[in-house]
Amino acid sequence: MTYLLKDVCLHDNDDGRSPMLSALVVNKATREPSDQFSTLARTEPFTRPADWTWQDEQQQVFAHHH
């Protein structure tokens, strides 16, 4: 699943600047994304800052696709 979500994040987003669509994919029990999501967000080309949260990314997805 990790590779599929990475592909979704990279779709039309080669430079990593657009919000990561996989921020919408959360675990039913925890209501949070997997640890792999945060790891991906901090690697190239995404490189989100240290104070970044997945909730911020999720809000950016909603705003971007509104």
Side-chain angles (χ1 to χ4, degrees), residues 4 6 12 18-19 25 36-37 41 44-45 47 52:
L4 293 173
K6 180 178 180 179
D12 289 336
S18 294
V25 180
Q36 292 94 345
F37 174 74
E44 291 288 335
T47 58
W52 168 93

Side-chain angles (χ1 to χ4, degrees), residues 41-59:
R42 289 184 169 82
T43 60
E44 291 288 335
F46 306 107
T47 58
R48 300 303 190 248
D51 63 345
W52 168 93
T53 67
W54 69 268
Q55 294 96 333
D56 296 335
E57 194 77 14
Q58 196 175 61
Q59 290 304 311

Side-chain angles (χ1 to χ4, degrees), residues 26-34 54:
V26 296
N27 178 297
K28 185 177 180 179
T30 65
R31 303 185 120 193
E32 294 183 4
S34 69
W54 69 268

Side-chain angles (χ1 to χ4, degrees), residues 6-37:
K6 180 178 180 179
D7 286 346
V8 166
C9 291
L10 288 170
H11 182 72
D12 289 336
N13 190 23
D14 294 333
D15 63 4
R17 291 184 185 181
S18 294
M20 299 171 64
L21 288 174
S22 64
L24 303 178
V25 180
V26 296
N27 178 297
K28 185 177 180 179
T30 65
R31 303 185 120 193
E32 294 183 4
S34 69
D35 291 336
Q36 292 94 345
F37 174 74

